[in-house]
Short mmCIF file of all heavy atoms in Angstrom, two decimals:
data_model
loop_
_atom_site.label_atom_id
_atom_site.label_comp_id
_atom_site.label_asym_id
_atom_site.label_seq_id
_atom_site.Cartn_x
_atom_site.Cartn_y
_atom_site.Cartn_z
N LYS A 145 -2.19 6.16 -0.44
CA LYS A 145 -3.43 5.33 -0.04
C LYS A 145 -3.53 5.16 1.37
O LYS A 145 -4.63 5.10 1.93
CB LYS A 145 -3.24 3.95 -0.81
CG LYS A 145 -3.49 4.01 -2.31
CD LYS A 145 -3.48 2.60 -2.83
CE LYS A 145 -3.76 2.62 -4.42
NZ LYS A 145 -3.72 1.29 -4.92
N LEU A 152 -10.81 9.60 4.48
CA LEU A 152 -12.21 9.29 4.04
C LEU A 152 -13.01 8.95 5.34
O LEU A 152 -14.17 9.35 5.41
CB LEU A 152 -12.14 8.10 3.12
CG LEU A 152 -11.63 8.36 1.70
CD1 LEU A 152 -11.56 7.08 0.94
CD2 LEU A 152 -12.48 9.34 0.93
N CYS A 154 -12.46 10.13 8.40
CA CYS A 154 -12.66 11.36 9.13
C CYS A 154 -13.80 12.17 8.41
O CYS A 154 -14.70 12.78 9.03
CB CYS A 154 -11.49 12.15 9.20
SG CYS A 154 -10.23 11.58 10.39
N THR A 157 -17.22 10.57 9.10
CA THR A 157 -17.59 10.91 10.47
C THR A 157 -18.04 12.32 10.67
O THR A 157 -19.03 12.70 11.37
CB THR A 157 -16.45 10.64 11.45
OG1 THR A 157 -15.94 9.29 11.24
CG2 THR A 157 -16.86 10.71 12.87
N LEU A 164 -26.26 14.93 12.47
CA LEU A 164 -26.71 14.78 13.90
C LEU A 164 -26.93 16.13 14.56
O LEU A 164 -27.91 16.44 15.21
CB LEU A 164 -25.87 13.89 14.73
CG LEU A 164 -25.88 12.34 14.41
CD1 LEU A 164 -24.79 11.69 15.22
CD2 LEU A 164 -27.25 11.82 14.72
N ARG A 170 -32.48 21.32 15.14
CA ARG A 170 -33.90 21.45 14.61
C ARG A 170 -34.85 20.97 15.66
O ARG A 170 -35.95 21.65 15.90
CB ARG A 170 -34.01 20.67 13.33
CG ARG A 170 -35.36 20.65 12.71
CD ARG A 170 -35.47 19.78 11.46
NE ARG A 170 -36.84 19.73 10.97
CZ ARG A 170 -37.69 18.78 11.34
NH1 ARG A 170 -37.31 17.93 12.27
NH2 ARG A 170 -38.90 18.68 10.87
N TYR A 192 -40.86 4.57 38.84
CA TYR A 192 -40.17 4.25 37.54
C TYR A 192 -40.70 2.89 37.00
O TYR A 192 -41.09 2.07 37.82
CB TYR A 192 -38.64 4.34 37.57
CG TYR A 192 -38.02 3.47 38.69
CD1 TYR A 192 -37.70 2.18 38.45
CD2 TYR A 192 -37.80 4.05 39.90
CE1 TYR A 192 -37.17 1.42 39.42
CE2 TYR A 192 -37.26 3.29 40.96
CZ TYR A 192 -36.91 1.99 40.69
OH TYR A 192 -36.41 1.21 41.71
N GLU A 193 -40.73 2.72 35.74
CA GLU A 193 -41.20 1.44 35.18
C GLU A 193 -40.26 0.99 34.17
O GLU A 193 -39.57 1.67 33.41
CB GLU A 193 -42.61 1.61 34.67
CG GLU A 193 -42.84 2.68 33.61
CD GLU A 193 -44.26 3.03 33.23
OE1 GLU A 193 -45.05 2.64 34.03
OE2 GLU A 193 -44.45 3.56 32.21
N ALA A 202 -25.23 -11.15 21.47
CA ALA A 202 -24.26 -12.19 21.14
C ALA A 202 -23.32 -11.73 20.03
O ALA A 202 -22.17 -12.10 20.03
CB ALA A 202 -25.01 -13.42 20.80
N ILE A 215 -40.95 8.41 36.28
CA ILE A 215 -42.32 8.95 36.49
C ILE A 215 -42.27 10.10 37.55
O ILE A 215 -41.87 9.82 38.67
CB ILE A 215 -43.34 7.91 36.94
CG1 ILE A 215 -43.40 6.76 35.84
CG2 ILE A 215 -44.75 8.48 37.07
CD1 ILE A 215 -44.28 5.58 36.27
N TYR A 216 -42.58 11.28 37.14
CA TYR A 216 -42.57 12.44 38.01
C TYR A 216 -43.96 12.99 38.31
O TYR A 216 -44.80 12.89 37.43
CB TYR A 216 -41.71 13.58 37.45
CG TYR A 216 -40.26 13.30 37.47
CD1 TYR A 216 -39.57 12.57 36.46
CD2 TYR A 216 -39.47 13.78 38.42
CE1 TYR A 216 -38.23 12.35 36.52
CE2 TYR A 216 -38.04 13.58 38.50
CZ TYR A 216 -37.48 12.82 37.53
OH TYR A 216 -36.14 12.60 37.55
N GLN A 223 -53.23 21.31 42.01
CA GLN A 223 -53.59 20.15 41.24
C GLN A 223 -52.38 19.29 40.78
O GLN A 223 -51.39 19.85 40.29
CB GLN A 223 -54.44 20.58 39.93
CG GLN A 223 -54.87 19.44 39.00
CD GLN A 223 -55.85 18.57 39.67
OE1 GLN A 223 -56.84 19.00 40.39
NE2 GLN A 223 -55.76 17.24 39.52
N GLY A 224 -52.42 18.06 41.03
CA GLY A 224 -51.33 17.13 40.74
C GLY A 224 -51.38 16.57 39.32
O GLY A 224 -52.41 16.32 38.84
N THR A 262 -34.43 14.22 22.89
CA THR A 262 -33.58 13.56 21.93
C THR A 262 -32.65 14.56 21.25
O THR A 262 -31.46 14.23 20.83
CB THR A 262 -34.33 12.73 20.91
OG1 THR A 262 -35.27 13.63 20.28
CG2 THR A 262 -35.11 11.63 21.60
N SER A 264 -31.06 17.12 22.50
CA SER A 264 -29.87 17.42 23.29
C SER A 264 -28.90 16.24 23.08
O SER A 264 -27.67 16.51 22.99
CB SER A 264 -30.28 17.46 24.73
OG SER A 264 -31.18 18.51 25.03
N ILE A 267 -27.24 16.58 19.61
CA ILE A 267 -26.34 17.64 19.46
C ILE A 267 -24.97 17.28 20.20
O ILE A 267 -23.94 17.54 19.62
CB ILE A 267 -26.87 18.95 20.22
CG1 ILE A 267 -28.02 19.49 19.35
CG2 ILE A 267 -25.83 19.97 20.44
CD1 ILE A 267 -28.74 20.68 19.98
N PRO A 277 -12.83 13.96 14.54
CA PRO A 277 -12.25 13.91 13.18
C PRO A 277 -11.65 15.19 12.71
O PRO A 277 -10.73 15.21 11.87
CB PRO A 277 -13.35 13.40 12.30
CG PRO A 277 -14.64 13.79 13.02
CD PRO A 277 -14.31 13.69 14.45
N PHE A 284 -3.36 15.67 10.34
CA PHE A 284 -2.90 15.19 9.07
C PHE A 284 -2.42 16.28 8.21
O PHE A 284 -1.43 16.14 7.41
CB PHE A 284 -3.91 14.33 8.39
CG PHE A 284 -4.01 12.89 8.77
CD1 PHE A 284 -4.98 12.41 9.59
CD2 PHE A 284 -3.00 11.96 8.30
CE1 PHE A 284 -4.93 11.09 9.99
CE2 PHE A 284 -2.97 10.63 8.70
CZ PHE A 284 -3.98 10.26 9.51
N VAL A 287 -1.36 21.21 10.52
CA VAL A 287 -1.75 22.52 11.13
C VAL A 287 -1.38 22.48 12.61
O VAL A 287 -0.97 23.51 13.19
CB VAL A 287 -3.23 22.79 10.93
CG1 VAL A 287 -3.53 24.12 11.70
CG2 VAL A 287 -3.57 22.94 9.47
N ASN A 294 0.82 18.56 23.52
CA ASN A 294 0.62 17.14 23.09
C ASN A 294 -0.83 17.06 22.60
O ASN A 294 -1.80 16.94 23.37
CB ASN A 294 0.90 16.21 24.24
CG ASN A 294 0.83 14.81 23.87
OD1 ASN A 294 -0.03 14.38 23.02
ND2 ASN A 294 1.70 13.97 24.43
N ASP A 297 -3.11 14.00 23.80
CA ASP A 297 -3.70 14.14 25.15
C ASP A 297 -4.81 15.22 25.18
O ASP A 297 -5.78 15.04 25.80
CB ASP A 297 -2.58 14.59 26.15
CG ASP A 297 -1.67 13.46 26.60
OD1 ASP A 297 -2.04 12.30 26.18
OD2 ASP A 297 -0.67 13.65 27.22
N LEU A 307 -18.01 14.54 26.63
CA LEU A 307 -18.93 13.39 26.83
C LEU A 307 -19.48 13.31 28.21
O LEU A 307 -20.73 13.06 28.37
CB LEU A 307 -18.25 12.06 26.49
CG LEU A 307 -17.93 11.76 25.07
CD1 LEU A 307 -17.11 10.53 24.87
CD2 LEU A 307 -19.26 11.62 24.25
N ILE A 315 -28.51 13.04 32.53
CA ILE A 315 -28.89 12.26 33.71
C ILE A 315 -29.53 13.17 34.69
O ILE A 315 -30.61 12.80 35.26
CB ILE A 315 -27.67 11.53 34.27
CG1 ILE A 315 -27.16 10.49 33.30
CG2 ILE A 315 -28.04 10.89 35.62
CD1 ILE A 315 -25.81 9.91 33.75
N SER A 331 -28.98 10.32 44.84
CA SER A 331 -29.14 9.08 44.00
C SER A 331 -27.86 8.43 43.81
O SER A 331 -27.61 7.78 42.74
CB SER A 331 -29.73 9.47 42.72
OG SER A 331 -30.91 10.25 42.80
N ASN A 333 -24.84 5.98 43.42
CA ASN A 333 -24.50 4.57 43.37
C ASN A 333 -23.10 4.48 42.66
O ASN A 333 -22.70 5.43 41.99
CB ASN A 333 -25.58 3.78 42.58
CG ASN A 333 -25.67 4.20 41.11
OD1 ASN A 333 -24.81 3.91 40.33
ND2 ASN A 333 -26.79 4.84 40.77
N PHE A 354 -0.25 20.30 27.93
CA PHE A 354 0.49 21.52 27.91
C PHE A 354 1.77 21.41 28.84
O PHE A 354 2.80 22.03 28.50
CB PHE A 354 -0.34 22.80 28.51
CG PHE A 354 -1.39 23.13 27.58
CD1 PHE A 354 -2.78 22.70 27.76
CD2 PHE A 354 -1.21 23.98 26.60
CE1 PHE A 354 -3.79 23.11 26.94
CE2 PHE A 354 -2.18 24.38 25.71
CZ PHE A 354 -3.54 23.98 25.90
#
Side-chain angles (χ1 to χ4, degrees):
K145 287 184 178 179
L152 290 175
C154 287
T157 308
L164 289 172
R170 177 180 174 275
Y192 51 88
E193 54 191 20
I215 303 174
Y216 285 85
Q223 178 67 43
T262 54
S264 301
I267 289 174
F284 273 104
V287 176
N294 185 322
D297 282 351
L307 286 175
I315 294 171
S331 308
N333 66 70
F354 291 98

